[in-house]
Each structure stands twice: as structure tokens, then as C-alpha cells.
Amino acid sequence: MTRAHSMFLRLSGAALALGLTCIFAAQALGQAPQASDTPFVPDDYLDTTRRPVGDSIRFCASSASALQPFDRAVAEEIGKLLLLETEWLEIRYPFPAPPYDFQIALSEESLFTALNNRCDVFTGFAMNHLTFPTWLTVSEPYLVTRYVLATREGRAETLEAAEAGARIGTRVGTGADAIFAAYVGTVEEGRWRRIPYPDHRSLLRSLNGGTIEAAFVWEPALTLAAAGGDGPVTWSLMTGGPRVPSVSFGIVMLTRNTFLRELIDQAIAEMTASGKLAEITEQHGF
């Protein structure tokens, strides 16, 4: 970290603490009418007196996101750089969450209420192919992941080399599933069989058991499932086949917190330049 960057972050942290204190004090006096471009939430569900602490950032994450341990490590490092205390809060998803997945699985109304009442920022938002509503602002990406075509070791090295009729698994509802389904439609009938699965756990268990030849899978799910005994301990990556775009993740907050977003962007940039972000990413197997 350069001396200039260190000084900037220290001054910014102090300014942020003062700014948050002022914001919370103003909110304690009363709540302005809800903006027309925000999700409708009855006033009874919106807190008008957010916590009066101005020297900390409360990071929230969905209980449905498999990125939580990684996101928490990133959040703690951001707090250190900004010289602010870090609070961590898990927002419970009310239904069983698909294992080894990155979806947030919260409605707009639930997210808005959480950011208004309990959270300064929310981690783990996939940024690809999304148009964020005007009431949300998002940081620079802090993690970029990809979909891969995984197979067991010793199997075909390319999709084209796989036997005719090879069963290729996908996680239904993902971009990889849609892209592969379209790709299968462009080749001769029966060249490969697309086998959709409801979640990454069942997909990778089938890959490990040999039910399918290969799987289009979100790459971090391979590491997470292996650690949980739900997938192959070792695997190979096939080449060829359709290209699936990468998935980037950012931190979201209410648009009124643009100053906080700028500071978080600065911290992410510093973590990237120092190699700390790459170190955290490697520690978590991503």
C-alpha cells in the first residue's frame, strides 16, 4: 500500500464514520416518504431509527449464498482498510437453499427492507446480465468466476471427443444450461444428451458416480462439493463446446450511500493491487 493510498483510506474512514453518524441521526428524527422508484413496503415494516453507531459497517449476506465465508473474509479486510469495525449479519432465506449455489434468493421487497432496516451493504450479488434498479448501487467486482465443463480424470479431453450420446449434466435455470441446450440443438440429433439437475449437489454426485459423462458447473461448486463429500475429489476440465460467460460479484447498497460505495471501491482496488484479494480467493479455493 502506498503512503498516499494509506492516508486516503484513513481520512476516508474517519469521514465515513462522521457521515454515517449524521445519516443515522437524521433518520432518527423521522423517515421521509418512501421514494416512488423503490419497492412498495408498508411503513410498518420500515424502521425509522437505524442503529446509531457510526464507526462500523454492517455487511449482510443471504443464507442461500455459498459465498458467505469468502464474502465475510473480504468484508473484514475492507473494514481494516477503512479503519472501521465490521459487523456481519446473515439474512435468512425462508426456504431450503440450493446447495453450492450463489443465488441470493430474496425478493426486491425483502432486499430493500434489509438495506433500510438492518444492513449498510449486501454482499454476493451476481452482476452479469442484470439491470440494477435505480434504488440500488453496486461496487466494482471483487470476484470473477466461470462455468466449466468438468469430467472425471481419464475421460475425454474435449466435448467433441466424447462418445455419441454422451450424457452431459447441467444445473437447470443457469446460463450454462440455456447455452448448452441451444448448442445441442445446432448439432446432429443424439450427438450429446443434456441431463438437467435441480442443484449442483445432485449434479456433482451424478458426475462422481458416473451417471453422466461431464457437467457444466459453476467452478466454485466443484471445490465446495468436494469438501462436503458431494462430488469428485479430483476432476479434469474438458475443452470445446459452447462458451459460457463468466460471473462477476459485487456489493450492493442503497443509492443514497454513494460515498460508501466509493470507499468500498477504493478498498477493493487496494486489495487487488496488494495481492490481498487474490490471497483470500485462493484460501477459499476459488
Side-chain angles (χ1 to χ4, degrees):
M1 179 187 300
T2 66
R3 185 174 182 180
H5 281 168
S6 177
M7 181 62 71
F8 174 83
L9 290 172
R10 289 173 181 275
L11 292 175
S12 297
L16 175 61
L18 177 60
L20 290 177
T21 300
C22 293
I23 289 172
F24 295 149
Q27 289 176 337
L29 296 176
Q31 182 180 20
Q34 189 174 336
S36 59
D37 62 346
T38 60
F40 175 74
V41 179
D43 289 342
D44 290 346
Y45 289 92
L46 295 178
D47 192 351
T48 62
T49 59
R50 292 188 64 196
R51 57 193 179 88
V53 179
D55 58 353
S56 65
I57 303 178
R58 177 171 288 172
F59 289 83
C60 290
S62 169
S63 62
S65 174
L67 291 175
Q68 277 196 75
F70 169 77
D71 285 347
R72 186 166 188 172
V74 171
E76 290 173 351
E77 187 63 25
I78 289 174
K80 289 178 184 177
L81 286 171
L82 296 179
L83 302 182
L84 295 171
E85 293 294 325
T86 300
E87 298 182 34
W88 183 260
L89 180 64
E90 179 183 297
I91 303 299
R92 297 295 302 172
Y93 178 55
F95 305 104
Y100 314 125
D101 215 324
F102 58 79
Q103 64 177 313
I104 298 299
L106 295 175
S107 67
E108 283 198 353
E109 292 78 9
S110 296
L111 176 61
F112 177 76
T113 303
L115 285 171
N116 182 82
N117 293 0
R118 309 170 70 187
C119 314
D120 295 316
V121 298
F122 216 106
T123 65
F125 266 74
M127 302 168 66
N128 300 58
H129 310 299
L130 289 179
T131 301
F132 284 91
T134 56
W135 53 273
L136 273 184
T137 186
V138 61
S139 72
E140 291 296 314
Y142 62 92
L143 177 66
V144 180
T145 62
R146 61 179 183 168
Y147 278 91
V148 296
L149 183 56
T151 188
R152 299 182 306 283
E153 287 193 319
R155 311 299 290 184
E157 295 183 357
T158 68
L159 181 61
E160 290 72 17
E163 296 179 358
R167 296 161 58 91
I168 310 298
T170 61
R171 161 68 162 94
V172 70
T174 62
D177 177 52
I179 290 171
F180 185 62
Y183 186 74
V184 168
T186 66
V187 299
E188 61 180 288
E189 186 175 355
R191 182 66 185 87
W192 304 291
R193 290 184 60 192
R194 167 181 161 266
I195 311 297
Y197 286 85
D199 56 60
H200 284 119
R201 172 181 287 158
S202 57
L203 172 63
L204 292 172
R205 282 179 175 177
S206 291
L207 177 63
N208 191 42
T211 305
I212 55 177
E213 179 70 13
F216 272 106
V217 60
W218 181 52
E219 190 171 26
L222 282 165
T223 303
L224 295 170
D230 283 325
V233 176
T234 59
W235 55 85
S236 299
L237 299 184
M238 279 186 173
T239 58
R243 179 184 175 277
V244 180
S246 60
V247 183
S248 300
F249 294 89
I251 298 171
V252 298
M253 62 213 79
L254 295 178
T255 303
R256 64 178 180 239
N257 292 331
T258 52
F259 180 56
L260 175 56
R261 189 206 67 217
E262 291 171 1
L263 291 179
I264 288 177
D265 284 347
Q266 178 71 18
I268 291 172
E270 184 59 42
M271 291 167 64
T272 302
S274 68
K276 185 63 178 180
L277 187 55
E279 178 184 327
I280 296 173
T281 303
E282 183 177 357
Q283 286 173 351
H284 287 80
F286 299 159

